[in-house]
Amino acid sequence: MDKWRGLQLIPLLLALCATAQALYSSNSDVISLTSGNFDRLVKESDSVWIVEFFAPWCGHCKSLAPEYEKAAKALKGVVKVGAVDADQDKSLGNQYNIRGFPTIKIISGGKTEDYNGQRTAKGIVEAALKAARDKVDAQMNGRSSGGGSSGGSGSKKDVVELTDSNFQKLVLDSDEPWLVEFFAPWCGHCQRLEPEWAKAATELKGKVKVGALDATAHPGKASEYGVQGYPTIKFFPAGRKRSSDAEDYDGGRTADAIINWANDKATASMPPPELEQILNDDVLQEGCVKHSLCVVSVVPHILDCDAACRNRYLNILRANGEKYKRNQWGWLWAQAGDHLNLEEAIDIGGFGYPAMAVVSAKKGKYSLFRGSFSEEGIREFLRDLSYGKGSTAPIRGATLPKIDSVDPWDGKDGQLPQEESLLDLDDAFDDKDEL
């Protein structure tokens, strides 16, 4: 009998565990979204959607939940509000390039925008109503606001017309990344792709160049790149290119899929951020104020850690800069003691050097790194921070301090200062009062 009662309790326990993991209840105004219902409810819908990508263990997500619930209740019947457990549904999170939790997207007419406002019900509602007004204005002015993949809001003028004669100059000799469609005018798949391709070209403007080549009119390049069917899409990375650098596109044929795929590839092909020595206030401002976050490291004084030692630390930072380059953070370093007011403002160096903190100048906060100053140790810290698992503290004085200028490191070992003349120790005792 006891065994039977135990078996009866199992479904109840599982249900309780599932409830504990969920941030929003089944009777919430926040609609639960998954890869199984996302296309039908969101992509193919004419509605404006606010969508949160969250993880159940994320502290920031838990803090947001009551505000998000309040926003969903206020927007009921006006704007749809949904949530995706991106920790459970990783494929959907990857499709929208989710790198941290919570991430909120505004999706309307096949167009996706990041929500970067305050994490309050008021901020979310205001952004949702603005998106709804923009949709209404577009429809009043006769512009297609679309739904899912049925319409395009992009402009064909943003798609560069490529030919056999201009391909080398425009694509291969360009420093910009390119996404190129090889098409045939009679191809039905190409015709269906055309509005999505135009929409992607408009959204990617300034990040990735988007072109199209009629392979029936210009067969030379199509033959060179082994085009066997239409449409065929190739990606060409940033920097001067060889024909062999072309990579096949293997994503979906919607504007969102093209945009996300191209952004990922463009980021992967971009050079890593410069690791800048903090020489003056301009460097600090450029590295921190003009980026969402900056990674500030302080390495030991050159007399305590020679050139080889220092370069080991700097190379660890460069490796992580490469790893997290898609975040477009600023990466800065300073020698211990060069900027004591900066060290004090972000509480760095209290446990010795090397030391590191991640700073948000905009929010006036920082997160101090306390682990092993190794490539893996820093990587784990930055990964946890990007998922909202790190702790933060306010910058002392609320803003980054003004700093004095210092000379750049010459890349050499440190040298002790030379005394011009050494005092004879006997002379040190001349004309002194007796003890």
Side-chain angles (χ1 to χ4, degrees), residues 249-292:
Y249 171 81
D250 57 4
R253 292 184 179 178
T254 64
D256 280 343
I258 295 164
I259 292 164
N260 291 329
W261 192 96
N263 277 330
D264 279 348
K265 287 297 179 182
T267 301
S269 69
M270 69 189 295
E274 289 290 335
L275 177 61
E276 299 278 357
Q277 183 183 358
I278 305 175
L279 300 175
N280 50 52
D281 200 60
D282 288 342
V283 175
L284 182 62
Q285 295 294 315
E286 180 74 25
C288 286
V289 177
K290 293 188 177 180
H291 294 82
S292 60

Side-chain angles (χ1 to χ4, degrees), residues 205-217:
K205 191 186 297 184
K207 301 175 185 177
V208 178
K209 300 284 284 186
V210 175
L213 184 143
D214 181 347
T216 62

Side-chain angles (χ1 to χ4, degrees), residues 131-177:
R133 284 195 298 270
D134 290 345
K135 178 181 175 67
V136 172
D137 288 343
Q139 292 175 165
M140 284 186 65
N141 292 321
R143 299 194 303 269
S144 172
S145 58
S149 60
S150 61
S153 60
S155 172
K156 290 182 181 180
K157 67 181 176 60
D158 294 321
V159 178
V160 180
E161 183 180 349
L162 297 170
T163 66
D164 283 345
S165 59
N166 69 13
F167 197 94
Q168 177 72 37
K169 179 180 179 180
L170 294 182
V171 179
L172 299 183
D173 292 344
S174 166
D175 288 328
E176 298 172 288

Side-chain angles (χ1 to χ4, degrees), residues 21 23 52-62 84-88 101-102 387:
Q21 287 295 314
L23 290 186
E52 175 201 5
F53 294 82
F54 72 91
W57 45 258
C58 162
H60 292 302
C61 303
K62 294 173 184 176
V84 176
D85 181 348
D87 190 51
Q88 178 72 25
F101 303 121
Y387 281 123

Side-chain angles (χ1 to χ4, degrees), residues 90 228 282 318 381:
K90 291 183 173 60
Q228 301 294 322
D282 288 342
R318 291 188 183 99
F381 166 70

